[in-house]
């Protein structure tokens, strides 16, 4: 059976995509990779050449394969080992031939072109059970959106084989950095999670910092120096227009972040030498102060339900992590290890908080449970900072800065086991990533 899904895109960033996704219960099958924090043996998966328009089919197949193998959960069986690949998309699967090379899953697909549009059909098979893994699907899209169709296929395969939400058809906001280290020129861009399809949201006429996606991916909140003083701006991603959320020259506003429902923006406000966390109603601009201490409070991040905020504070004498409710009250300290803690980011699943930790001259991206227990280092380097979560809460993207006078920031990702770390394939320096939601 086939499900026909349609990609209707005017602009992949516009948030106007109509693409219903099957519920997991409709896609479940007997084959399932178990994901734990222990050692995971990658599942052998066969992805033969896709049928149809040879040029587009090859590009779609290659993106699907890169998406899946890049997770570290899947191992692609090389083409030379595939002894009896299907001769057509409709040909019956010779399961015994795939079992002979230890393939556990098999993907077949066909890409057809019609003018400015393409259709991509795919099927996923459980080789050892000798049956399809869920229904086949067809994605119809503009030819220019072939990459999104590929990500959607990979999303479906990932979800069927892991039981988890996928993250391939998602966007990342970031800051491009150019120029010497002491006089960097910065601008905000938005790209696919893998570094493709970059669109520039700002120019380099003024300094910009720390863009953060809203929960629906339609807005970005960031710090801008276009007035000569750090203030917060909100950008509509589809129209690439922005408005000031704070303004003035007697206080500095920075480090903003949306609540998941987009109702609130938490940020830091410096006034008279003191920095506290403030809360803003994103629709009305009404603001109220959350913390009031003779210390520096910054880098707020909301829990998924929007009821709590984790933030960085040096009220104990060194930067540590604290949690408080959005109604105010006394914060609770949750970090107690050696070193300095900062830039926390609450997982979209709500179970973990990622953060930057400095111990001596080494930096780590680390995680802990929301009550402060189970602290775990994922990385170690000269300088790792600014973690952000994939939509499924399994992968963290961050900035890694190389040492030396010519050190450059680069984006990397690592999964929550700490075993699968990869640099993002960008040909320029970049920092401050913010991972947006899976596109609808």
């Amino acid at each position: 059976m086939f499900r026909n899904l349609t990609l209707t895109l005017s602009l992949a960033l516009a948030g106007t995509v109509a693409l219903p996704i099957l519920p997991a219960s409709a896609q479940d099958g007997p084959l399932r990779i178990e994901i734990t924090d222990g050692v995971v043996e990658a599942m052998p998966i066969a992805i033969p050449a896709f049928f149809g328009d040879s040029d587009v089919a090859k590009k779609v197949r290659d993106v699907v394969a890169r998406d899946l193998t890049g997770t570290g959960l899947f191992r692609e069986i090389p083409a030379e080992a595939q002894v009896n690949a299907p001769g057509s998309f409709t040909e019956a699967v010779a399961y015994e031939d795939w079992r002979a090379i230890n393939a556990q899953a098999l993907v077949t697909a066909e890409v057809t072109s019609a003018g400015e549009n393409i259709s991509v059909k795919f099927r996923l098979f459980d080789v050892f059970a000798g049956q399809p893994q869920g229904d086949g699907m067809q994605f119809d899209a503009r030819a220019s959106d072939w990459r999104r169709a590929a990500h959607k296929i990979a999303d479906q395969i990932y979800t069927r084989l892991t039981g988890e939400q996928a993250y391939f058809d998602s966007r990342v906001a970031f800051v491009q950095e150019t120029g010497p280290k002491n006089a960097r020129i910065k601008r905000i861009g938005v790209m696919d999670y893998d570094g493709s399809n970059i669109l520039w949201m700002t120019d380099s006429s003024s300094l910009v910092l720390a863009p953060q996606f809203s929960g629906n991916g339609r807005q970005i909140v960031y710090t801008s120096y276009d007035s000569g003083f750090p203030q917060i701006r909100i950008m509509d991603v589809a129209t690439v227009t922005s408005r000031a959320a704070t303004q003035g020259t007697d206080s500095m506003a920075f480090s903003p972040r949306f609540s998941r429902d987009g109702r609130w923006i938490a940020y830091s406000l410096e006034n008279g030498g003191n920095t506290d966390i403030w809360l803003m109603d994103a629709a009305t601009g009404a603001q109220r102060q959350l913390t009031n201490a003779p210390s520096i409070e910054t880098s707020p991040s909301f829990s998924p339900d929007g009821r709590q905020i984790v933030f960085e504070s040096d009220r104990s004498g060194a930067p540590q992590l604290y949690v408080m409710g959005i109604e105010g009250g006394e914060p609770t300290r949750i970090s107690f290890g050696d070193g300095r803690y900062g830039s926390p980011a609450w997982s979209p699943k709500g179970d973990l908080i990622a953060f930057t930790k400095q111990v001596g001259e080494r930096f780590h991206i680390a995680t802990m449970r929301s009550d402060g227990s189970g602290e775990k280092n994922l990385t170690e380097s000269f300088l790792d900072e600014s973690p952000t979560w994939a939509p499924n809460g399994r992968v963290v993207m961050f900035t890694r800065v190389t040492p030396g006078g010519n050190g450059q920031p680069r984006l990397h990702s690592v999964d929550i086991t700490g075993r699968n770390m990869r640099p993002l394939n960008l040909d320029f320096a970049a920092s401050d990533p913010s991972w947006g939601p899976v596109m609808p």
Side-chain angles (χ1 to χ4, degrees):
M1 179 180 177
F2 266 86
R3 303 287 180 117
N4 188 296
L5 305 183
T6 301
L7 284 163
T8 55
L9 292 171
S10 57
L11 178 64
L13 290 166
T16 59
V17 182
L19 182 58
I21 298 298
L22 293 175
S25 59
Q27 300 173 354
D28 285 348
L31 182 62
R32 179 66 57 85
I33 186 171
E34 183 177 356
I35 300 176
T36 69
D37 285 340
V39 176
V40 176
E41 182 178 353
M43 175 186 286
I45 184 169
I47 312 175
F50 288 0
F51 299 101
D53 185 301
S54 58
D55 180 51
V56 180
K58 182 180 186 307
K59 291 192 294 185
V60 172
R61 194 217 76 92
D62 289 349
V63 168
V64 171
R66 283 196 299 271
D67 283 350
L68 294 173
T69 57
T71 66
L73 300 175
F74 304 94
R75 174 177 62 83
E76 184 183 1
I77 295 177
E80 56 269 22
Q82 300 173 16
V83 294
N84 190 14
S88 71
F89 179 67
T90 57
E91 183 178 304
V93 173
Y95 290 106
E96 63 278 4
D97 291 336
W98 297 103
R99 293 189 194 108
I101 59 173
N102 199 36
Q104 294 185 29
L106 167 68
V107 178
T108 64
E110 181 177 58
V111 181
T112 57
S113 300
E116 296 183 354
N117 300 307
I118 62 169
S119 291
V120 185
K121 303 179 198 176
F122 90 95
R123 286 173 171 156
L124 176 66
F125 298 92
D126 179 341
V127 172
F128 284 93
Q131 64 184 25
Q133 178 83 341
D135 295 334
M137 284 188 173
Q138 177 174 320
F139 295 86
D140 298 321
R142 292 198 308 258
S144 58
D145 295 321
W146 65 267
R147 185 177 290 275
R148 278 211 63 204
H151 289 320
K152 282 298 185 190
I153 291 173
D155 278 343
Q156 287 291 317
I157 295 169
Y158 180 95
T159 297
R160 294 185 190 192
L161 294 180
T162 67
E164 290 188 344
Q165 177 191 359
Y167 56 88
F168 307 123
D169 188 30
S170 59
R171 302 282 183 174
V172 175
F174 66 97
V175 173
Q176 182 198 41
E177 300 194 18
T178 58
K181 199 168 185 177
N182 61 351
R184 286 281 163 82
I185 298 173
K186 302 186 178 187
R187 60 175 173 168
I188 295 173
V190 171
M191 62 186 173
D192 291 358
Y193 94 101
D194 59 3
S196 301
N197 290 338
I198 297 173
L199 295 176
W200 299 110
M201 300 288 103
T202 66
D203 58 27
S204 55
S205 60
S206 61
L207 182 65
V208 289
L209 301 170
Q212 295 289 330
F213 265 121
S214 62
N216 60 15
R218 296 175 182 171
Q219 294 180 306
I220 292 173
V221 63
Y222 62 101
T223 303
S224 172
Y225 283 72
D226 63 348
S227 66
F229 214 64
Q231 295 295 333
I232 295 169
R233 298 190 67 86
I234 302 173
M235 175 175 290
D236 181 273
V237 176
T239 62
V240 197
T241 57
S242 68
R243 60 180 174 86
T246 63
Q247 50 193 327
T249 58
D250 58 346
S251 61
M252 296 187 292
F254 56 96
S255 193
R257 189 166 299 192
F258 276 108
S259 60
R260 193 167 189 176
D261 62 6
R263 180 181 178 184
W264 304 106
I265 297 172
Y267 65 99
S268 293
L269 184 71
E270 186 279 332
N271 194 358
N274 193 45
T275 302
D276 284 297
I277 304 294
W278 285 64
L279 194 67
M280 176 191 301
D281 186 307
T284 67
Q287 304 170 49
R288 58 186 172 89
Q289 188 171 349
L290 287 185
T291 66
N292 186 9
S295 51
I296 297 175
E297 271 79 48
T298 189
S299 300
S301 176
F302 286 92
S303 60
D305 62 10
R307 296 177 180 176
Q308 294 179 295
I309 291 173
V310 60
F311 62 96
E312 169 190 342
S313 173
D314 65 356
R315 63 179 61 199
S316 66
Q320 299 290 334
L321 303 185
Y322 292 79
V323 171
M324 70 182 303
I326 64 168
E327 300 304 322
E330 187 65 22
T332 299
R333 180 174 167 178
I334 62 170
S335 62
F336 292 94
D338 295 334
R340 303 160 64 90
Y341 293 73
S343 58
W346 214 311
S347 165
K349 293 172 67 175
D351 56 340
L352 296 174
I353 293 171
F355 54 92
T356 299
K357 182 178 181 180
Q358 181 186 5
V359 181
E361 296 182 353
R362 304 297 289 176
F363 281 77
H364 308 269
I365 298 298
T367 60
M368 65 171 63
R369 299 187 186 96
S370 57
D371 63 2
S373 63
E375 184 175 319
K376 178 180 181 179
N377 290 339
L378 304 181
T379 73
E380 180 181 359
S381 83
F382 166 75
L383 178 54
D384 288 347
E385 59 184 359
S386 305
T388 181
W389 288 95
N392 69 349
R394 177 168 176 79
V395 180
V396 176
M397 190 175 291
F398 62 97
T399 305
R400 169 164 288 184
V401 182
T402 55
N406 295 318
Q408 297 288 321
R410 299 287 179 177
L411 301 185
H412 289 64
S413 66
V414 63
D415 69 8
I416 57 174
T417 69
R419 296 185 179 92
N420 185 39
M421 189 173 72
R422 295 170 179 265
L424 211 63
N425 185 25
L426 297 174
D427 59 3
F428 52 79
S431 64
D432 294 357
S434 172
W435 210 320
V438 172
M439 301 290 286

